[in-house]
Amino acid sequence: CKGAYNGSAFLGDNNSNRVFSISIAEFHGLALTEKGEVFSWGNNGNGRLGVNSTSDKWLPVRVLKGDYPGTNYLGDDSLNKIISVIAYGDASYALSELGEVYSWGFNSEGQLGTGDVIEYHSPKRVLKGTYPGTNFLGDAASNKIIQIAAGSNSGYALTSNGLVYSWGTNYNGELGDGTDTSRLTPVQVISGAYGGNIFLGDDTTDKVVKIFASENNAFVLTSKHKLFAWGYNFYGTLGDNTMVNKNYPMRPLAGDYPGTYIGDSPSDFIVQVAGGRAHTLF
């Protein structure tokens, strides 16, 4: 049903402001409209609905603005609409047109990227960490954030110049920074098996163009269609023929795919990745 959405009866039934993206976690959902409005519903423990309370909502409500520089609601500035939303675990994330990253909800592992472990009931802006901005992740106009992803207790962001940042829990190496140390603010994913200099994506001829995340893993695709993965691997989730966690990017082996590594066949590119708790699909 429509709840607080400006429609007739159902969420998305207004043709001048249709819903074009949804994200569903175990206990809550987010919807994003063409005008950049964000609606949430479901279990609101830890404030994951972003309405400055912890009361469950059985119908969609609009996410409040929090730190977003709008009037009342997240995305209500037509010059800086919200373009992406993610619900995962007990937290929520949003990306604005200007490359700003917002998060709210549970934060026991630093998954909100706010430099603390305080849960927030309305959107907070993710701090910059090692990102070369002024105060916040994405605040350098020449290198804004263009995509976000989230795992169970970790967040990820891709910059316009093809570099990847991560924050939150890191018990399984899911941040890809070469350690198993959790981070309260973003750190840069290191090169690992990627053929760059120091960091993943720092070769301008083969930048990272897409990021994906599952519960305790992360994956990226580069402009040359190479696939890299890191994180939890007990069930062989990373596809490297081991069950050893990796805290740096590595390349999944081909298996039945026609090449040496997944993605290295020029006639059979990988374009999408999806994963569950203990398996991955390419």
Side-chain angles (χ1 to χ4, degrees):
C1 294
K2 72 182 189 75
Y5 172 80
N6 185 23
S8 300
F10 301 104
L11 183 64
D13 65 6
N14 181 346
N15 287 334
S16 65
N17 188 29
R18 293 172 296 185
V19 171
F20 78 94
S21 176
I22 60 172
S23 182
I24 304 297
E26 187 173 6
F27 296 115
H28 75 293
L30 299 175
L32 176 63
T33 74
E34 294 170 322
K35 290 184 178 180
E37 302 169 351
V38 183
F39 294 86
S40 61
W41 63 92
N43 185 294
N44 197 24
N46 310 112
R48 69 197 76 172
L49 300 187
V51 293
N52 205 28
S53 80
T54 55
S55 299
D56 297 346
K57 305 296 180 182
W58 292 17
L59 295 172
V61 291
R62 276 194 81 174
V63 175
L64 297 176
K65 74 181 192 75
D67 285 348
Y68 171 84
T71 305
N72 296 296
Y73 301 105
L74 185 65
D76 65 8
D77 178 358
S78 62
L79 300 178
N80 187 27
K81 298 188 299 183
I82 298 301
I83 59 173
S84 178
V85 293
I86 296 174
Y88 208 119
D90 300 321
S92 302
Y93 304 84
L95 174 65
S96 81
E97 209 164 29
L98 295 180
E100 303 161 351
V101 183
Y102 296 89
S103 60
W104 60 96
F106 197 47
N107 196 27
S108 66
E109 303 293 337
Q111 58 262 52
L112 300 188
T114 53
D116 53 39
V117 291
I118 301 169
E119 66 181 43
Y120 290 98
H121 301 167
S122 61
K124 294 288 291 183
R125 199 158 169 195
V126 175
L127 297 176
K128 75 181 191 73
T130 61
Y131 169 86
T134 304
N135 297 296
F136 301 105
L137 184 64
D139 65 7
S142 62
N143 187 30
K144 65 180 185 179
I145 302 302
I146 60 172
Q147 189 187 348
I148 57 174
S152 180
N153 292 302
S154 306
Y156 304 88
L158 173 64
T159 71
S160 59
N161 66 6
L163 301 176
V164 183
Y165 291 83
S166 58
W167 62 94
T169 189
N170 199 22
Y171 305 134
N172 304 292
E174 49 262 76
L175 299 189
D177 67 343
T179 78
D180 299 316
T181 303
S182 298
R183 309 288 183 177
L184 302 183
T185 57
V187 293
Q188 198 163 350
V189 178
I190 64 172
S191 178
Y194 171 83
N197 298 310
I198 301 173
F199 298 108
L200 182 64
D202 63 8
D203 177 359
T204 57
T205 67
D206 193 23
K207 300 191 300 183
V208 173
V209 295
K210 288 185 180 180
I211 57 174
F212 310 88
S214 59
E215 184 164 346
N216 295 303
N217 310 95
F219 308 86
V220 301
L221 285 171
T222 72
S223 60
K224 292 184 177 179
H225 310 288
K226 296 177 181 177
L227 176 68
F228 296 88
W230 62 93
Y232 185 67
N233 197 29
F234 183 77
Y235 295 100
T237 322
L238 301 183
D240 67 342
N241 203 31
T242 78
M243 294 191 296
V244 179
N245 294 346
K246 301 295 190 299
N247 59 18
Y248 55 86
M250 43 69 61
R251 295 196 68 181
L253 296 173
D256 288 341
Y257 172 86
T260 302
Y261 298 102
I262 290 288
D264 65 4
S265 170
S267 62
D268 193 9
F269 300 145
I270 301 299
V271 296
Q272 183 73 24
V273 180
R277 177 172 294 180
H279 72 290
T280 305
L281 302 173
F282 305 125

